[in-house]
């Protein structure tokens, strides 16, 4: 009996000790979590506060986040610093390269927090968009059957679309109908192909078994199999004429028949007739000279770079002579130029690790679109953006250090992050445009616009105060630590696309054909360009903001010239 009692007593003592240990561990974990949350609240409450923007941030505090204002106001023990002295020090150092560098780590942490918060906040709208797509799925075209699909020799040679998370049958059908195609084919649950002729080889119905990524219960092809639909009825409702774009008046080449593969001679020829004819033949250009209609692609013979005075084609919109046949009208049909849409990963690992570096909102995604279509290789990313991956940027999911991509997108600008790369394309954009683009992305995604309420809230001035200095420090640190740089100005790339893109491709040590570059120019906008139609009826930048940004512009311009690069475009200042 005594022995049993002794064992029970020993067990209780051990249990008591174990409970004490677990309780202590629980309290310690709770304290650490509470401390972390308190620090985050302090950081968020103090970010972008105008009163502390000019004060240099100590290096040790820059690793955590934005310094608490009280910490800046309270001097260390044994050091007496007056308010006037602090203010004077801030004015002297606020725009210096050293001060900008000291803020860089702080702002990178701020951007990462905002970026991840935005990604989590964007999930509900995607669900709502999925519901809308499902609702549209009630109006489908005629199912034609399951067909074999060879990605190398495609029968549906028209436009190609990817949506690796939200692809539906209706989405593919409507996209093909709007571009004046007759058939829509879906493969692998996420890929959409358009064309005007049915594939030659049919397959068994059960071989098309891949479920659409964005619609449960619907079939979107299979492995090397296409679920094909006729969209003739949808085409009539889509009004394909609305997607015909007038490209301009151009001098006709000497031999139009040799320049363009297909032609049509039609009395009383109209733009609609010519565009419809070229769309059925799956060509992106419709060229009109008198009663003659020609279909083809931009080529070296007819590059669309040198437009003529529109007066030379006056009256030829109704298919008249156009200056005795020396000039022609050019329209872009809804058909996509697919000569440059094929992309892949590098077959062997790249020996040179190249960054595509820019400040957020500087057009990095657009530059990736141009590079991918010009070289035929995917670009990578330091981050993972599901929205880009779902729209066909497949390199987004690949590990950024895999070296299977032609270059890697990054917004980082710390010494360690920069020195990991062997070379870099440094993309710079007007800070006024960059700040507005990133603010729009923060609140409305890659293609949306922030509301007037967002612009007029305190978030906007806080954003400018925090991010304007990062725009400058990003360039300064890449100039300081970058090993081999190619500086590209967004405005110059937009204005002189082919010459600048050639320069970028040569820097990446890739050889491309002239026709492929012309195809890129024909598809220059890609799928991630804001329409620009939404204009604000007020000036978002106050005079104080303009003075701040203009000083940063002068600092960056001086640094570029100091490294023997061309300075910033003149349109940056004054504003």
């Amino acid at each position: 009996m005594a022995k049993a009692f002794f064992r029970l007593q020993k067990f209780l003592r051990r249990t008591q000790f174990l409970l004490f240990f677990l309780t202590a561990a629980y309290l310690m974990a709770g304290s650490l979590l509470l401390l972390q949350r308190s620090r985050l609240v302090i950081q968020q409450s103090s970010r972008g506060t105008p009163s502390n923007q000019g004060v240099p941030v100590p290096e040790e505090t820059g690793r955590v986040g934005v310094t608490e204002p009280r910490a800046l106001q309270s001097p260390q023990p044994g050091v007496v610093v007056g308010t006037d002295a602090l203010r004077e020090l801030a004015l002297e150092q606020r725009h210096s390269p050293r001060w900008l560098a000291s803020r860089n780590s702080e702002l990178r942490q701020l951007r990462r927090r905002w970026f991840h918060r935005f990604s989590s906040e964007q999930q509900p709208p995607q669900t709502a968009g999925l519901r809308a797509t499902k609702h549209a799925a009630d109006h489908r075209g005629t199912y034609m059957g399951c067909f074999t699909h060879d990605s190398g020799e495609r029968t549906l040679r028209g436009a190609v679309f990817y949506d690796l998370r939200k692809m539906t049958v209706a989405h593919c059908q409507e996209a093909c109908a709007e571009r004046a195609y007759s058939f829509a084919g879906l493969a692998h649950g996420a890929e959409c192909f358009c064309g005007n002729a049915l594939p030659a080889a049919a397959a068994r119905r059960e071989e098309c078994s891949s479920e659409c990524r964005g619609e449960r219960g619907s079939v979107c092809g299979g492995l090397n199999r296409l679920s094909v639909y006729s969209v003739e009825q949808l085409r009539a409702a889509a009004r394909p004429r609305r997607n015909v774009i007038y490209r301009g008046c151009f001098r006709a080449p000497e031999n139009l028949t040799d320049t363009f593969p297909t032609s049509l001679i039609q009395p009383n020829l109209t733009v609609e007739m010519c565009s419809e004819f070229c769309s059925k033949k799956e060509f992106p250009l419709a060229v009109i000279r008198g009663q003659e209609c020609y279909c083809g692609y931009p080529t070296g013979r007819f590059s669309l770079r040198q437009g003529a005075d529109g007066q030379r084609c006056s009256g030829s919109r109704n298919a008249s002579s156009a200056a005795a046949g020396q000039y022609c009208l050019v329209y872009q049909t809804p058909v996509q130029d697919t000569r440059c849409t094929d992309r892949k990963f590098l077959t062997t690992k790249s020996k040179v690790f190249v960054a595509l570096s820019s400040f957020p909102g500087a057009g990095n995604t657009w530059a990736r679109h141009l590079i991918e279509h010009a070289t035929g290789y995917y670009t990578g990313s330091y981050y993972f953006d599901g929205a880009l991956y779902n729209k066909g940027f497949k390199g987004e999911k690949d590990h950024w250090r895999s070296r299977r991509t032609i270059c890697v997108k990054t917004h980082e600008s710390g010494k360690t992050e920069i020195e990991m790369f062997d070379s870099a394309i440094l993309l710079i954009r007007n800070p006024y445009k960059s700040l507005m683009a990133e603010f729009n992305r923060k609140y409305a995604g890659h293609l949306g616009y922030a509301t007037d309420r967002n612009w007029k809230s305190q978030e906007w001035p806080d954003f400018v105060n925090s991010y304007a200095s990062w725009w400058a420090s990003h360039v300064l640190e890449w100039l300081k630590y970058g090993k081999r740089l190619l500086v590209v100005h967004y405005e110059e790339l937009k204005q002189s696309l082919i010459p600048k893109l050639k320069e970028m491709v040569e820097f990446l040590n890739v050889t491309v054909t002239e026709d492929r570059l012309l195809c890129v120019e024909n598809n220059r906008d890609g799928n991630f360009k804001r329409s620009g139609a939404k204009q604000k009826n007020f000036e978002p930048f106050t005079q104080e903001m303009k003075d701040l940004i203009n000083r940063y512009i002068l600092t960056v311009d001086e640094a570029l010239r100091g490294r023997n690069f061309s300075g910033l475009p003149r349109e940056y200042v004054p504003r």
Side-chain angles (χ1 to χ4, degrees):
M1 184 70 180
K3 185 179 265 190
F5 179 78
F6 176 77
R7 287 179 180 173
L8 178 61
Q9 189 179 27
K10 188 176 182 181
F11 172 77
L12 290 174
R13 284 179 179 174
R14 288 180 178 175
T15 305
Q16 218 174 18
F17 176 79
L18 182 61
L19 288 173
F20 174 79
F21 176 80
L22 290 175
T23 304
Y26 177 81
L27 293 173
M28 185 178 297
S31 300
L32 290 173
L33 182 61
L34 181 62
L35 180 61
Q36 185 178 6
R37 287 182 176 178
S38 300
R39 178 176 295 175
L40 182 61
V41 170
I42 291 173
Q43 291 171 2
Q44 290 180 341
S45 64
S46 62
R47 67 186 180 196
T49 307
S51 61
N52 70 344
Q53 288 301 310
V55 184
V57 180
E59 186 177 353
E60 56 270 23
T61 59
R63 298 174 188 154
V64 179
V66 182
T67 310
E68 184 181 0
R70 288 192 299 272
L72 296 174
Q73 295 171 1
S74 303
Q76 298 179 357
V79 181
V80 179
V81 182
T83 305
D84 294 339
L86 274 175
R87 199 169 294 163
E88 185 178 350
L89 178 64
L91 290 173
E92 289 178 357
Q93 299 187 359
R94 181 169 185 173
H95 308 291
S96 67
R98 181 177 298 179
W99 179 84
L100 289 169
S102 71
R103 284 184 55 83
N104 211 15
S105 176
E106 166 195 345
L107 293 169
R108 289 202 307 274
Q109 296 291 338
L110 180 65
R111 191 201 65 82
R112 285 172 182 167
R113 183 165 67 248
W114 278 351
F115 179 83
H116 290 300
R117 186 181 72 178
F118 166 78
S119 299
S120 61
E121 288 175 351
Q122 288 302 303
Q123 297 305 320
Q126 291 172 354
T127 305
L130 181 57
R131 291 197 202 102
T133 306
K134 284 185 177 180
H135 179 73
D138 296 336
H139 308 285
R140 295 179 177 176
T142 305
Y143 181 65
M144 305 302 294
C146 183
F147 295 83
T148 59
H149 171 64
D150 184 351
S151 58
E153 293 293 331
R154 292 188 289 110
T155 306
L156 299 182
R157 297 177 177 274
V160 184
F161 307 94
Y162 301 94
D163 199 329
L164 303 178
R165 187 171 62 182
K166 298 191 295 180
M167 179 62 75
T168 66
V169 175
H171 174 52
C172 179
Q173 291 174 340
E174 290 166 1
C176 293
E178 285 185 358
R179 289 160 178 80
Y181 291 107
S182 300
F183 297 100
L186 297 105
H188 306 292
E191 299 178 2
C192 173
F193 301 89
C194 306
N196 288 322
L198 279 175
R204 291 178 300 169
R205 187 184 185 101
E206 56 269 21
E207 293 181 19
C208 288
S209 57
S210 295
E211 186 177 69
C212 299
R213 298 287 180 89
E215 188 175 23
R216 290 184 179 179
S218 294
V219 178
C220 287
L223 182 62
N224 297 324
R225 295 294 182 267
L226 278 175
S227 297
V228 180
Y229 295 82
S230 171
V231 294
E232 290 289 347
Q233 295 177 351
L234 292 175
R235 273 187 60 185
R239 292 180 300 152
R241 174 67 180 88
R242 69 180 179 179
N243 290 320
V244 177
I245 301 171
Y246 175 62
R247 295 294 300 269
C249 177
F250 295 86
R251 176 179 285 278
E254 292 184 3
N255 194 327
L256 283 169
T257 306
D258 290 344
T259 304
F260 300 108
T262 305
S263 61
L264 169 70
I265 299 177
Q266 178 73 42
N268 301 318
L269 182 70
T270 64
V271 174
E272 288 80 3
M273 291 179 184
C274 185
S275 174
E276 183 73 12
F277 173 75
C278 293
S279 295
K280 285 183 178 180
K281 298 295 183 180
E282 298 185 3
F283 289 106
L285 291 186
V287 180
I288 298 175
R289 185 181 67 172
Q291 307 300 321
E292 303 166 356
C293 171
Y294 297 89
C295 310
Y297 302 98
T299 62
R301 288 185 176 183
F302 195 68
S303 65
L304 302 184
R305 293 181 191 169
Q306 300 295 329
D309 185 356
Q311 294 295 325
R312 295 183 179 274
C313 290
S314 60
S316 56
R317 290 177 186 268
N318 295 320
S320 62
S321 61
Q326 295 182 7
Y327 295 88
C328 56
L329 291 165
V330 179
Y331 293 86
Q332 187 162 334
T333 73
V335 175
Q336 184 181 16
D337 191 341
T338 57
R339 294 174 297 167
C340 58
T341 54
D342 58 305
R343 289 162 289 167
K344 60 183 179 180
F345 289 102
L346 295 174
T347 52
T348 58
K349 290 187 176 181
S350 174
K351 295 180 180 179
V352 181
F353 196 30
V354 186
L356 177 61
S357 177
S358 73
F359 176 78
N364 199 302
T365 300
W366 179 55
R368 290 176 67 185
H369 161 78
L370 297 175
I371 291 171
E372 287 193 4
H373 285 74
T375 64
Y377 295 111
Y378 287 116
T379 58
S381 176
Y382 187 82
Y383 320 95
F384 170 62
D385 190 333
L388 296 180
Y389 175 74
N390 293 332
K391 293 299 182 183
F393 286 88
K394 293 186 177 180
E396 193 74 25
K397 200 172 184 179
D398 204 54
H399 191 276
W400 66 280
R401 300 194 75 169
S402 69
R403 292 180 181 258
R404 296 200 309 152
T405 53
I406 192 70
C407 61
V408 176
K409 163 190 173 179
T410 180
H411 299 312
E412 304 301 309
S413 50
K415 181 177 183 292
T416 304
E417 290 86 349
I418 293 173
E419 292 181 344
M420 288 189 296
F421 294 96
D422 301 317
S423 58
I425 297 173
L426 180 58
L427 184 63
I428 305 174
R429 186 184 185 186
N430 189 320
Y432 290 99
K433 300 292 186 182
S434 294
L435 290 168
M436 293 174 68
E438 177 63 5
F439 193 73
N440 279 321
R441 188 206 64 81
K442 177 189 170 189
Y443 282 102
H446 290 280
L447 300 178
Y449 289 89
T451 64
D452 287 352
R453 182 178 180 182
N454 296 137
W455 291 102
K456 294 179 181 179
S457 70
Q458 186 58 35
E459 280 284 342
W460 171 238
D462 288 349
F463 181 88
V464 172
N465 285 330
S466 295
Y467 271 48
S469 59
W470 182 22
W471 175 86
S473 64
H474 179 274
V475 177
L476 295 178
E477 295 213 353
W478 276 95
L479 290 175
K480 182 177 182 181
Y481 300 115
K483 300 173 186 176
R484 177 172 169 259
L485 292 178
L486 172 66
V487 176
V488 176
H489 298 290
Y490 172 90
E491 292 77 14
E492 294 177 355
L493 178 62
K494 188 176 178 181
Q495 185 176 3
S496 305
L497 180 64
I498 295 298
K500 286 296 177 183
L501 187 55
K502 276 185 177 179
E503 191 177 351
M504 295 165 68
V505 169
E506 289 174 2
F507 184 82
L508 295 170
N509 198 28
V510 178
T511 303
V512 299
T513 63
E514 184 72 13
D515 283 352
R516 190 166 185 116
L517 288 173
L518 290 169
C519 170
V520 177
E521 187 176 40
N522 214 30
N523 295 325
R524 62 185 298 157
D525 289 343
N527 296 323
F528 280 87
K529 176 180 173 60
R530 292 185 179 89
S531 64
K534 187 171 182 179
Q535 302 292 335
K536 287 173 290 301
N537 55 6
F538 62 92
E539 171 60 58
F541 294 95
T542 64
Q543 188 58 49
E544 184 180 358
M545 293 178 187
K546 294 177 183 178
D547 294 340
L548 176 71
I549 295 170
N550 288 344
R551 285 194 289 269
Y552 290 142
I553 289 173
L554 295 175
T555 300
V556 170
D557 183 73
E558 183 180 354
L560 284 169
R561 296 180 187 279
R563 281 286 306 271
N564 295 322
F565 291 107
S566 60
L568 296 175
R570 296 183 61 183
E571 65 187 75
Y572 282 27
V573 287
R575 183 180 172 89

